[in-house]
Amino acid sequence: MTFPNLPHGRVLTTEQEMRPFLTDASQVPPEGLPRAVAVARSTEDVSAALRWAHEHRVKVSVRAGGSGVSGGALAYEGGLVLALHEMNRLLDLDVPARLAIVEAGVLTADLDAEARRHGLFFAPDPASAEISTVGGNIATNAGGLRCLAHGDTAKAVAALKVVLATGEVITTGARTVKNSTGLNLTQLFVGSEGTLGVITEATVWLTPAPQGPAHTFMASFDSIQDAGRAVVDVVRSVGLETLELIDAPIAAMVEQYRPSGLPQPQAALLIGQALGPQAAESVATAAELCRKNGAARAETGEGDALLEARRLALPAMQARGEWVMGDVGVPVPNLPAMIEAIGRIEEESGRAVRIVAHAGDGNLHPMVQVEPGRREEAQAVMDCIVAAAVELDGVISGEHGIGLLKQHELHRQYDAATLAAQHAIKAALDPRGILSPGRGI
């Protein structure tokens, strides 16, 4: 079988060449060795690769930054890996319209940095912004630290260029603020995890950069339940950019991983930030609300150092071993009940559950460490946590996506008819089932 002929990219076929493209950040091995890795440099390359895969019925996994933690980018045995990391050009930055057009492999932090040179910023802000790509963020509908103020990635997407499984290229959306023309195909592809088509280009909204310094508060709690209750009060009362929770063991791991003087609480830290003219007043109010909810210590200041420490939580934990990583979301008022449920599951299972969270929007990342050869036991604990989140009107994934690792959880959130409707859309756009089969929906 001949491999796809890419107009601009290249095709890798030896195991040594392909090895860097077989996994993601999920700590899970690939399903097998693919036939090839197609390193695309253009939409035409992606189209050629998918036409070939469609013709030969070859499974395709899509990989850009490799920062995903749900196993969505793992290579298939005998499959094709479509690598988009070299599609990394910023094609246009329209300052008056507050729009940018980027290829899928542009790094999130690079787009944000370029926008800031023009008094704007890119609001989606996953903790992995330095290594995650805009296309990957859109494919998983990534969240991050700024969701409390700006929402998830979906809210920043104006238009897309997508290659379908057959190699056909379509465009969705528009550059206008309003658009009531036809079906909203843009949002159909946001969060589709490469199962419906491959995003190669995105037109995204930028946000005016706030004036003045960032103001941050930090509150230390002796009870993580008190921290959860403080979150509800703060979100109800104060306009913040971010509000993050780190439990005490993770705070210790972060400080050991990269010492920065991060305060070490008895139970949990809440870290929040406000921007703009009222920032100092907002964080002062948040700190006072934390004190009223039992914080042992609460203080305010300027700068981003505490939030930068929060971004290190996942790498610090992965440096300490393998984890089953949760990504549940609940309505913010139900956050204290979710924390209490995790505590009960800990007690019943005898397994410690670490918690780091985008607390301000109700998105928790409970983490269960995997002992050698015993991943199924850790997964069983996570299954109980997911069930508890759904019972509290929550979701099984707030921002990471389903990928390979959460497929068995879909039935908890969707009934058979709802899943069948999603599968019907998948079958219509990918009739031979070559795009990320067995993952996502």
Side-chain angles (χ1 to χ4, degrees):
M1 182 186 298
T2 59
F3 291 110
N5 181 22
L6 306 186
H8 308 99
R10 64 191 192 278
V11 177
L12 312 177
T13 57
T14 70
E15 182 174 356
Q16 182 175 359
E17 290 176 318
M18 295 191 294
R19 190 173 298 122
F21 306 100
L22 306 186
T23 60
D24 55 18
S26 64
Q27 298 185 305
V28 175
E31 294 192 31
L33 188 68
R35 300 185 192 190
V37 173
V39 181
R41 294 195 179 104
S42 66
T43 296
E44 292 78 13
D45 289 342
V46 175
S47 178
L50 291 184
R51 281 198 306 271
W52 176 86
H54 180 75
E55 177 184 355
H56 297 286
R57 299 178 184 270
V58 173
K59 298 177 181 179
V60 177
S61 56
V62 186
R63 189 186 192 280
S67 62
V69 294
S70 297
L74 301 178
Y76 293 100
E77 177 69 34
L80 176 71
V81 176
L82 188 50
L84 306 182
H85 62 288
E86 292 190 7
M87 293 183 63
N88 55 11
R89 293 179 300 161
L90 172 59
L91 302 174
D92 185 29
L93 201 157
D94 186 340
V95 174
R98 298 195 336 223
L99 287 170
I101 303 177
V102 299
E103 291 183 322
V106 168
L107 295 179
T108 311
D110 288 351
L111 172 58
D112 187 54
E114 183 61 27
R116 287 178 186 275
R117 292 182 58 242
H118 301 274
L120 302 168
F121 71 98
F122 183 52
D125 186 35
S128 59
E130 295 290 338
I131 59 172
S132 69
T133 64
V134 176
N137 292 346
I138 295 170
T140 57
N141 193 20
L145 278 68
R146 291 197 286 253
C147 276
L148 176 59
H150 303 285
D152 54 21
T153 297
K155 292 179 173 58
V157 182
L160 296 172
K161 182 175 287 185
V162 180
V163 184
L164 301 180
T166 58
E168 295 173 282
V169 179
I170 67 170
T171 58
T172 77
R175 295 169 62 95
T176 58
V177 174
K178 295 179 179 178
N179 179 15
S180 295
T181 311
L183 299 178
N184 190 345
L185 294 180
T186 301
Q187 294 302 318
L188 177 64
F189 287 100
V190 174
S192 64
E193 302 186 56
T195 62
L196 304 181
V198 177
I199 297 164
T200 60
E201 187 179 300
T203 302
V204 296
W205 296 108
L206 303 175
T207 301
Q211 301 301 305
H215 287 260
T216 305
F217 82 91
M218 185 280 298
S220 176
F221 290 84
D222 295 344
S223 160
I224 194 169
Q225 288 80 12
D226 286 347
R229 286 186 281 272
V231 169
V232 178
D233 272 359
V234 170
V235 171
R236 180 172 54 215
S237 306
V238 186
L240 295 177
E241 188 84 353
T242 61
L243 181 59
E244 301 290 308
L245 182 147
I246 309 174
D247 75 9
I250 296 178
M253 292 181 207
V254 168
E255 185 64 12
Q256 292 165 10
Y257 180 75
R258 190 173 298 174
S260 65
L262 181 68
Q264 298 297 297
Q266 285 293 111
L269 284 177
L270 277 185
I271 301 170
Q273 186 176 82
L275 303 174
Q278 305 300 316
E281 180 182 342
S282 295
V283 298
T285 300
E288 180 58 28
L289 288 169
C290 288
R291 294 185 192 100
K292 289 181 178 178
N293 278 277
R297 172 186 174 194
E299 56 191 47
T300 66
E302 293 185 13
D304 293 319
L306 288 173
L307 286 178
E308 291 309 311
R310 160 64 182 89
R311 295 180 189 278
L312 295 175
L314 182 58
M317 296 183 74
Q318 290 189 327
R320 299 284 292 268
E322 182 181 347
W323 302 79
V324 170
M325 292 173 271
D327 178 38
V328 297
V330 296
V332 174
N334 292 348
L335 185 67
M338 187 66 220
I339 291 173
E340 290 176 5
I342 291 173
R344 290 194 299 271
I345 292 166
E346 278 190 299
E347 185 175 350
E348 292 166 2
S349 68
R351 296 291 298 269
V353 180
R354 304 276 59 84
I355 299 176
V356 60
H358 305 303
D361 56 47
N363 183 199
L364 299 94
H365 299 308
M367 313 280 276
V368 184
Q369 191 154 24
V370 176
E371 298 174 6
R374 301 173 69 178
R375 187 176 181 90
E376 289 185 2
E377 295 178 20
Q379 183 62 58
V381 176
M382 189 60 66
D383 290 347
C384 294
I385 294 171
V386 170
V390 174
E391 289 175 4
L392 289 168
D393 298 324
V395 295
I396 68 178
S397 175
E399 61 179 8
H400 291 164
I402 300 303
L404 173 67
L405 303 183
K406 300 175 188 174
Q407 266 239 330
H408 69 287
E409 301 281 13
L410 279 169
H411 73 280
R412 298 187 187 277
Q413 188 169 335
Y414 295 126
D415 59 27
T418 305
L419 281 173
Q422 297 190 50
H423 294 156
I425 295 170
K426 163 72 169 171
L429 294 177
D430 181 16
R432 294 185 175 177
I434 65 165
L435 292 177
S436 300
R439 300 176 188 173
I441 58 170

